[in-house]
Amino acid sequence: MKVGVLALQGAVEPHAEALRDLGAAPAPVRTPAQLADVDALVVPGGESTTMSKLLDTSGLAGPLSDRLASGMPAFGTCAGMIVLAREVLDGRADQRSYGAIDIAVRRNAFGRQVDSFEAELDVAGLEDSFHGVFIRAPFVEAVGPHVEVLAAVDGHPVLCRSGPVLVAAFHPELTPDRRVHRLFLEAGA
Ligand code: GLN
Protein backbone atom coordinates (compact mmCIF):
# COMPACT_ATOMS: atom_id res chain seq x y z
CA MET A 1 0.00 0.00 0.00
CA LYS A 2 1.60 3.21 -1.18
CA VAL A 3 0.38 6.17 0.87
CA GLY A 4 1.28 9.62 -0.43
CA VAL A 5 1.94 12.56 1.85
CA LEU A 6 1.21 15.88 0.17
CA ALA A 7 4.60 17.58 0.48
CA LEU A 8 4.02 21.10 -0.78
CA GLN A 9 4.19 22.66 2.66
CA GLY A 10 3.78 21.82 6.34
CA ALA A 11 4.42 18.88 8.64
CA VAL A 12 5.27 16.14 6.15
CA GLU A 13 7.98 13.99 7.77
CA PRO A 14 6.12 13.23 11.05
CA HIS A 15 3.28 11.73 8.99
CA ALA A 16 5.72 9.68 6.94
CA GLU A 17 7.22 8.34 10.16
CA ALA A 18 3.79 7.42 11.58
CA LEU A 19 2.89 5.59 8.35
CA ARG A 20 6.21 3.72 8.32
CA ASP A 21 5.61 2.64 11.94
CA LEU A 22 2.35 1.04 10.77
CA GLY A 23 3.96 -0.79 7.86
CA ALA A 24 2.64 1.48 5.09
CA ALA A 25 5.03 2.84 2.45
CA PRO A 26 4.87 6.66 2.49
CA ALA A 27 5.84 8.65 -0.61
CA PRO A 28 6.05 12.44 -0.96
CA VAL A 29 3.57 13.95 -3.44
CA ARG A 30 4.56 17.20 -5.16
CA THR A 31 3.59 16.52 -8.78
CA PRO A 32 0.63 15.04 -10.69
CA ALA A 33 2.80 12.03 -11.64
CA GLN A 34 3.56 11.33 -7.97
CA LEU A 35 -0.14 11.62 -7.11
CA ALA A 36 -1.05 9.17 -9.85
CA ASP A 37 1.34 6.67 -8.28
CA VAL A 38 -0.21 6.49 -4.77
CA ASP A 39 -3.24 4.60 -3.46
CA ALA A 40 -4.16 7.05 -0.69
CA LEU A 41 -3.11 10.52 0.45
CA VAL A 42 -2.34 12.31 3.70
CA VAL A 43 -2.85 16.08 3.60
CA PRO A 44 -0.76 17.47 6.48
CA GLY A 45 -1.06 20.52 8.69
CA GLY A 46 0.48 23.82 7.72
CA GLU A 47 -1.37 26.78 6.31
CA SER A 48 -4.44 25.98 4.25
CA THR A 49 -4.38 29.23 2.24
CA THR A 50 -0.75 28.61 1.20
CA MET A 51 -1.45 24.96 0.48
CA SER A 52 -4.41 25.94 -1.68
CA LYS A 53 -2.20 28.26 -3.75
CA LEU A 54 0.57 25.67 -4.08
CA LEU A 55 -1.95 23.05 -5.22
CA ASP A 56 -2.91 25.42 -8.04
CA THR A 57 0.65 26.32 -9.07
CA SER A 58 1.93 22.72 -8.90
CA GLY A 59 -0.80 21.51 -11.26
CA LEU A 60 -2.12 19.18 -8.56
CA ALA A 61 -5.49 20.89 -8.05
CA GLY A 62 -7.33 19.21 -10.95
CA PRO A 63 -5.85 15.72 -10.50
CA LEU A 64 -6.45 15.90 -6.73
CA SER A 65 -10.13 16.80 -7.27
CA ASP A 66 -10.48 13.90 -9.69
CA ARG A 67 -8.84 11.35 -7.38
CA LEU A 68 -10.92 12.47 -4.39
CA ALA A 69 -14.11 12.38 -6.46
CA SER A 70 -13.33 8.81 -7.45
CA GLY A 71 -12.97 7.72 -3.82
CA MET A 72 -9.26 7.85 -3.03
CA PRO A 73 -8.77 7.35 0.73
CA ALA A 74 -7.52 10.57 2.31
CA PHE A 75 -6.52 11.76 5.77
CA GLY A 76 -6.33 15.50 6.48
CA THR A 77 -4.92 16.97 9.66
CA CYS A 78 -5.55 20.58 10.68
CA ALA A 79 -4.89 22.61 7.48
CA GLY A 80 -5.37 19.29 5.66
CA MET A 81 -8.83 18.99 7.19
CA ILE A 82 -9.64 22.44 5.81
CA VAL A 83 -8.35 21.50 2.35
CA LEU A 84 -10.57 18.36 2.29
CA ALA A 85 -13.75 20.05 3.62
CA ARG A 86 -16.87 20.90 1.63
CA GLU A 87 -16.98 24.45 3.01
CA VAL A 88 -14.45 26.75 4.73
CA LEU A 89 -15.65 29.46 7.11
CA ASP A 90 -13.29 32.36 7.83
CA GLY A 91 -11.23 31.32 4.83
CA ARG A 92 -9.75 33.59 2.22
CA ALA A 93 -12.02 34.34 -0.72
CA ASP A 94 -9.64 32.62 -3.15
CA GLN A 95 -9.00 29.62 -0.91
CA ARG A 96 -10.00 26.34 -2.49
CA SER A 97 -11.34 23.29 -0.66
CA TYR A 98 -11.99 19.95 -2.29
CA GLY A 99 -15.28 18.67 -0.85
CA ALA A 100 -13.96 15.20 -0.03
CA ILE A 101 -15.99 15.14 3.18
CA ASP A 102 -19.32 16.84 3.83
CA ILE A 103 -18.31 19.19 6.64
CA ALA A 104 -18.13 22.94 7.11
CA VAL A 105 -14.93 23.92 8.94
CA ARG A 106 -14.10 27.16 10.66
CA ARG A 107 -10.44 28.18 10.46
CA ASN A 108 -8.64 29.19 13.68
CA ALA A 109 -11.91 28.39 15.41
CA PHE A 110 -10.64 28.06 18.96
CA GLY A 111 -9.73 31.75 18.98
CA ARG A 112 -6.55 33.71 18.77
CA GLN A 113 -5.88 33.87 22.52
CA VAL A 114 -5.71 30.07 22.72
CA ASP A 115 -3.60 29.55 19.65
CA SER A 116 -2.48 26.15 20.83
CA PHE A 117 -3.61 23.70 23.47
CA GLU A 118 -3.58 20.01 24.26
CA ALA A 119 -6.55 17.91 25.30
CA GLU A 120 -7.36 14.30 26.14
CA LEU A 121 -9.89 13.14 23.57
CA ASP A 122 -12.45 10.38 23.83
CA VAL A 123 -12.35 8.82 20.40
CA ALA A 124 -15.17 6.51 19.26
CA GLY A 125 -13.70 3.07 18.70
CA LEU A 126 -10.54 3.63 20.77
CA GLU A 127 -10.41 2.21 24.25
CA ASP A 128 -8.21 4.80 25.98
CA SER A 129 -8.17 8.55 25.45
CA PHE A 130 -5.99 10.11 22.73
CA HIS A 131 -3.70 13.05 23.46
CA GLY A 132 -4.68 15.77 20.97
CA VAL A 133 -2.24 18.56 20.07
CA PHE A 134 -4.13 21.55 18.61
CA ILE A 135 -2.19 24.33 16.83
CA ARG A 136 -4.26 27.25 15.49
CA ALA A 137 -6.81 24.56 14.93
CA PRO A 138 -10.07 24.62 13.03
CA PHE A 139 -13.22 22.91 14.26
CA VAL A 140 -16.19 21.52 12.44
CA GLU A 141 -19.36 23.61 12.51
CA ALA A 142 -21.68 21.45 10.44
CA VAL A 143 -21.61 17.84 9.32
CA GLY A 144 -23.63 16.14 6.59
CA PRO A 145 -25.78 13.05 7.26
CA HIS A 146 -23.10 10.53 6.24
CA VAL A 147 -20.33 11.94 8.42
CA GLU A 148 -19.42 10.18 11.67
CA VAL A 149 -18.12 12.40 14.45
CA LEU A 150 -15.45 10.37 16.27
CA ALA A 151 -14.29 13.02 18.78
CA ALA A 152 -15.27 16.50 19.92
CA VAL A 153 -13.94 19.30 22.15
CA ASP A 154 -16.58 21.32 24.03
CA GLY A 155 -19.19 19.95 21.66
CA HIS A 156 -17.24 20.87 18.52
CA PRO A 157 -16.32 17.93 16.27
CA VAL A 158 -12.53 17.56 15.86
CA LEU A 159 -12.28 14.07 14.33
CA CYS A 160 -14.66 13.01 11.57
CA ARG A 161 -14.90 10.16 9.10
CA SER A 162 -16.89 9.59 5.97
CA GLY A 163 -16.13 6.36 4.14
CA PRO A 164 -12.40 6.35 3.30
CA VAL A 165 -11.90 10.02 4.31
CA LEU A 166 -10.73 10.89 7.82
CA VAL A 167 -10.08 14.42 9.09
CA ALA A 168 -8.59 15.65 12.38
CA ALA A 169 -8.43 19.22 13.68
CA PHE A 170 -5.42 18.17 15.79
CA HIS A 171 -2.01 16.69 14.98
CA PRO A 172 -1.86 12.93 15.69
CA GLU A 173 1.47 12.82 13.82
CA LEU A 174 3.10 14.88 16.60
CA THR A 175 2.55 12.29 19.32
CA PRO A 176 3.95 8.75 19.31
CA ASP A 177 0.44 7.26 19.54
CA ARG A 178 -0.37 5.76 16.13
CA ARG A 179 -4.00 4.79 16.75
CA VAL A 180 -5.57 7.60 14.67
CA HIS A 181 -3.29 6.85 11.71
CA ARG A 182 -4.31 3.21 12.12
CA LEU A 183 -7.99 4.24 11.89
CA PHE A 184 -7.18 5.86 8.54
CA LEU A 185 -5.35 2.81 7.22
CA GLU A 186 -8.18 0.55 8.40
CA ALA A 187 -10.87 2.78 6.84
CA GLY A 188 -9.67 2.13 3.33
CA ALA A 189 -6.04 3.02 2.77
N1 GLN B 1 -4.69 27.78 10.93
C1 GLN B 1 -4.14 27.02 9.85
C2 GLN B 1 -4.97 27.19 8.58
O1 GLN B 1 -5.94 27.85 8.55
C3 GLN B 1 -4.07 25.55 10.20
C4 GLN B 1 -3.03 25.34 11.27
C5 GLN B 1 -2.37 23.99 11.26
O2 GLN B 1 -2.43 23.25 10.29
N2 GLN B 1 -1.68 23.69 12.34
O3 GLN B 1 -4.63 26.67 7.57
Side-chain angles (χ1 to χ4, degrees), residues 62-126:
L64 178 59
S65 273
D66 293 347
R67 288 296 304 274
L68 291 170
S70 60
M72 175 177 66
F75 178 26
T77 57
C78 204
M81 174 194 219
I82 298 170
V83 168
L84 293 178
R86 174 181 53 78
E87 186 183 357
V88 182
L89 307 168
D90 288 340
R92 279 176 44 142
D94 61 351
Q95 169 164 16
R96 194 200 283 248
S97 70
Y98 288 77
I101 182 166
D102 187 7
I103 57 173
V105 170
R106 188 171 295 282
R107 290 180 64 220
N108 303 324
F110 288 100
R112 281 163 188 41
Q113 279 99 335
V114 272
D115 257 4
S116 304
F117 63 96
E118 304 192 5
E120 295 307 317
L121 305 172
D122 278 327
V123 176
L126 299 186

Side-chain angles (χ1 to χ4, degrees), residues 45-48 78-79 82 107-108 135-136 171:
E47 180 52 53
S48 58
C78 204
I82 298 170
R107 290 180 64 220
N108 303 324
I135 305 169
R136 294 175 55 76
H171 288 270

Side-chain angles (χ1 to χ4, degrees), residues 13-57:
E13 185 46 36
H15 274 295
E17 204 178 305
L19 292 166
R20 273 193 293 269
D21 284 352
L22 294 171
V29 169
R30 295 190 188 85
T31 65
Q34 289 171 331
L35 179 63
D37 200 39
V38 298
D39 306 300
L41 186 70
V42 173
V43 184
E47 180 52 53
S48 58
T49 54
T50 308
M51 224 181 284
S52 169
K53 270 188 221 147
L54 293 172
L55 281 165
D56 285 331
T57 54

Side-chain angles (χ1 to χ4, degrees), residues 119-183:
E120 295 307 317
L121 305 172
D122 278 327
V123 176
L126 299 186
E127 214 157 282
D128 302 317
S129 63
F130 191 94
H131 189 74
V133 176
F134 293 78
I135 305 169
R136 294 175 55 76
F139 64 57
V140 175
E141 282 215 351
V143 300
H146 302 297
V147 174
E148 299 168 78
V149 175
L150 302 181
V153 170
D154 298 336
H156 304 295
V158 294
L159 181 66
C160 296
R161 181 169 59 197
S162 177
V165 178
L166 181 69
V167 288
F170 53 98
H171 288 270
E173 76 284 9
L174 296 183
T175 50
D177 189 336
R178 301 308 188 207
R179 289 177 296 161
V180 171
H181 283 80
R182 188 176 291 125
L183 283 180

